[in-house]
Each structure stands twice: as structure tokens, then as C-alpha cells.
């Protein structure tokens, strides 16, 4: 970052907007806008390439020649119009004419100021080039190795997966908790308030089988006490 600022200042430019942030792993990321003279654009880019490993680069040129010519012509015409209104005010004798000319002069001066602001913006764009530089720090374990994943990378990846899974589980539980609470309230209301008021169904009496008459005992034969005679 210091080398980028120094390169822009040595070329006659200046560092503009700068924004720094930090990601979840603690690595800083910085985005800075450098304004350098157009003639020193390539020189500054060559110096910036040696500050780190280049990830991507995009260059874009916008032709504003027609806009510059159009604005310069309109500024010249608007200035002449303002001068004419001022000349008419110097010759006006009636108060009503003076008031009307003052209103017209204010309107034309406002238009002239807007054109001058646009002219200055175009001049800044044509005289200074814009370089947007994005810098990010490289993790130490990646910079020290040969680029192949190691044990630390595996542990970090596994921990990341575990944290992500745990986060999704907590989100699912948080989403289902209101529905579970609502279902529990409905069940409690049913058991405590609604169910006791419902009419109770009578249980049918168990059917008993009809008992028949008790069997009567046969009378025992009477014995005479005398032995039977045999023929």
C-alpha cells in the first residue's frame, strides 16, 4: 500500500478514495483509487506490478473528445448570452424591464455554472487517469507451502464444514421452534379445556349368558337287604 501511494505521488498524482476491510479469517483487503497523469499511466502500472502477485487486471479507455468539444462550445455561447443580458440591463429604463432581465440573467448564469462544472470534470478525466487497485493479504500457511493442501488445510476445511452444518441445524431448529410451541399450546388447550367438555360415551354392559336348569339327580335304587336268588 505504501509503495502504491509513493508511485502515484512520484508520478504527479495522488491517492483518492481508500477502503480497508477484514474477512472472516482475519485477512485484510484494501481498495484504493489512484489518480495519476495520463502520460505516467503505464509507468505507474509497471511499478505496481512488482508489489505482489497479480491476480487480474482490467483496462478500459473512454473517448470523451466529442463531449469536450460540445461542452466548450456551449460554455462559449452561454457566456456571450450572459454578456448580452448584462448589456440590456445597463440600457433598461423601466423597473419592470430591469426585474425581468435580472431573472433571465440569474437563470443563464446558473446554466453557465453547470456547464463550467461539467467542463472541469471532463478536464480532470482527460488529464488524469484512474487506477483502482485492490490488495489482499495471503495466508501464511499458503505462502510458505508449495500450494498443495496440507494437514492444516484439511483441519480448517473440516472445521468450516462442521461450523456450517451446525449453523444450518440451529437455523432449522429456530425456524421450527415457533411451530412446535404453537402445536404444544393447541394440544394443551385441547386436553385442559375442550376434551373435558365433550359428552362422554357410555360403555355397553357386558352380555351374560343365560343359565339353564340344574340337572336333577337320579334316585338311587332301593336295596331290600336280601340276597338275590339264583336259579
Amino acid at each position: 500500500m505504501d509503495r502504491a501511494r509513493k508511485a502515484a505521488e512520484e508520478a504527479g498524482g495522488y491517492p483518492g478514495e481508500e477502503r480497508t476491510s477484514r474477512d472472516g479469517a482475519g485477512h485484510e483487503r484494501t481498495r484504493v483509487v489512484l489518480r495519476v497523469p495520463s502520460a505516467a499511466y503505464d509507468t505507474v502500472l509497471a511499478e505496481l506490478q512488482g508489489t505482489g502477485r497479480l491476480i487480474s487486471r482490467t483496462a478500459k479507455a473512454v473517448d470523451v473528445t466529442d463531449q469536450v468539444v460540445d461542452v466548450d462550445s456551449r460554455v462559449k455561447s452561454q457566456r456571450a448570452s450572459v454578456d448580452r443580458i448584462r448589456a440590456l440591463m445597463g440600457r433598461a429604463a423601466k423597473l419592470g424591464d430591469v426585474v425581468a432581465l435580472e431573472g433571465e440573467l440569474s437563470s443563464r448564469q446558473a446554466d453557465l455554472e453547470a456547464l463550467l462544472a461539467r467542463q472541469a470534470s471532463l478536464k480532470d478525466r482527460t488529464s488524469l487517469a484512474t487506477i483502482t487497485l485492490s490488495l489482499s493479504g495471503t495466508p501464511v500457511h499458503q505462502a510458505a507451502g508449495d500450494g498443495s493442501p496440507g494437514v492444516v488445510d484439511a483441519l480448517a476445511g473440516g472445521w468450516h464444514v462442521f461450523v456450517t452444518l451446525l449453523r444450518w441445524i440451529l437455523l432449522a431448529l429456530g425456524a421450527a421452534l415457533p411451530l412446535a410451541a404453537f402445536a404444544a399450546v393447541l394440544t394443551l388447550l385441547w386436553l385442559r379445556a375442550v376434551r373435558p367438555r365433550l359428552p362422554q360415551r357410555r360403555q355397553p354392559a357386558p352380555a351374560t349368558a343365560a343359565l339353564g336348569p340344574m340337572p336333577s339327580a337320579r334316585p338311587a335304587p332301593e336295596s331290600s337287604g336280601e340276597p338275590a336268588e339264583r336259579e
Side-chain angles (χ1 to χ4, degrees):
M1 210 44 220
D2 294 336
R3 293 180 60 181
R5 297 192 191 97
K6 185 178 180 181
E9 293 172 354
E10 290 180 350
Y14 60 92
E17 179 185 358
E18 181 177 335
R19 183 173 55 192
T20 302
S21 61
R22 189 182 300 272
D23 59 11
H27 307 137
E28 290 187 357
R29 299 178 182 273
T30 301
R31 180 180 180 273
V32 62
V33 178
L34 305 176
R35 302 301 308 277
V36 297
S38 300
Y41 175 76
D42 294 332
T43 303
V44 174
L45 282 183
E47 294 181 5
L48 294 179
Q49 288 180 358
T51 57
R53 185 164 62 94
L54 179 63
I55 302 299
S56 63
R57 173 181 172 182
T58 303
K60 181 176 65 175
V62 180
D63 188 6
V64 294
T65 304
D66 295 338
Q67 299 182 30
V68 172
V69 173
D70 178 66
V71 170
D72 290 344
S73 176
R74 293 176 61 184
V75 167
K76 184 178 180 180
S77 301
Q78 195 68 18
R79 280 178 174 171
S81 177
V82 170
D83 293 338
R84 287 195 299 269
I85 295 298
R86 288 176 176 173
L88 291 175
M89 288 183 62
R91 295 193 301 268
K94 296 181 180 180
L95 181 60
D97 295 340
V98 174
V99 173
L101 290 173
E102 285 181 349
E104 187 66 23
L105 179 62
S106 298
S107 177
R108 298 193 181 189
Q109 282 181 340
D111 294 340
L112 178 60
E113 292 175 359
L115 289 173
L116 291 175
R118 186 177 179 186
Q119 187 182 46
S121 176
L122 289 173
K123 183 179 179 180
D124 180 76
R125 292 173 59 184
T126 54
S127 61
L128 294 176
T130 302
I131 300 177
T132 302
L133 180 64
S134 298
L135 301 175
S136 62
T138 303
V140 177
H141 66 275
Q142 291 184 4
D146 56 354
S148 59
V151 178
V152 178
D153 297 327
L155 292 176
W159 176 256
H160 178 70
V161 172
F162 173 74
V163 172
T164 302
L165 180 61
L166 183 61
R167 184 182 303 171
W168 280 108
I169 292 175
L170 292 178
L171 289 176
L173 291 177
L177 185 60
L179 297 177
F182 182 70
V185 171
L186 289 181
T187 304
L188 184 61
L189 290 176
W190 170 263
L191 296 176
R192 295 294 182 84
V194 179
R195 187 176 181 181
R197 298 181 180 180
L198 294 177
Q200 300 294 332
R201 297 180 59 184
R202 295 182 178 180
Q203 298 295 335
T208 57
L211 297 178
M214 295 296 293
S216 58
R218 295 182 177 179
E222 295 180 357
S223 58
S224 58
E226 296 179 355
E229 292 182 356
R230 292 183 180 179
E231 294 183 353

